[in-house]
Amino acid sequence: MDIPLNGFSGKTSPCIAPSADSDADEEVVGYELFFREGPGQNRFTSDPERATSATIDALNMVGLDVLCDGHPAFINCSRQMLLTEYFALLPPNEVVVEIQERWRPTKK
């Protein structure tokens, strides 16, 4: 049975794919969390705001320790999501917000 996650539904089950980020000594420094619309999908092609909010929802439901093994979580963020207070739901000392290169700075 598929459980809709933040507006995603259908024949696939949304999932979070953690990818270890390592330093020069190959020690894990954190996990970048990628949203995927279903198992086996290797890239995301839908709405980035929905993907970011679904990732945050998953972190709140499952927990950072489960997904990141005590390391910081790196989460991609769109300009629109940065302007909301959605990231306030997460502990600031355990989450790194990654602003994608394609977003240009504005006065906001």
Side-chain angles (χ1 to χ4, degrees):
M1 174 165 92
D2 290 333
I3 300 171
L5 177 61
N6 211 25
F8 289 93
S9 62
K11 296 182 180 182
T12 62
S13 297
C15 56
I16 303 297
S19 176
D21 287 339
S22 304
D23 62 13
D25 296 324
E26 297 189 20
E27 295 290 326
V28 174
V29 296
Y31 287 89
E32 186 163 2
L33 302 178
F34 295 103
F35 177 83
R36 299 294 180 254
E37 291 176 305
Q41 184 186 33
N42 61 1
R43 65 187 177 96
F44 179 70
T45 57
S46 295
D47 181 29
E49 283 78 28
R50 287 176 47 192
T52 301
S53 63
T55 301
I56 293 171
D57 288 346
L59 281 174
N60 285 323
M61 289 188 303
V62 176
L64 280 164
D65 286 338
V66 172
L67 287 173
C68 298
D69 194 30
H71 293 84
F74 291 78
I75 302 173
N76 288 320
C77 179
S78 69
R79 179 184 179 280
Q80 189 63 33
M81 284 301 292
L82 189 60
L83 296 175
T84 69
E85 294 185 13
Y86 214 66
F87 281 96
L89 299 171
L90 299 172
N93 59 334
E94 298 178 27
V95 174
V96 177
V97 176
E98 290 187 298
I99 302 170
Q100 298 166 346
E101 297 87 16
R102 67 177 175 223
W103 305 113
R104 302 205 183 248
T106 65
K107 291 182 181 183
K108 284 187 177 184

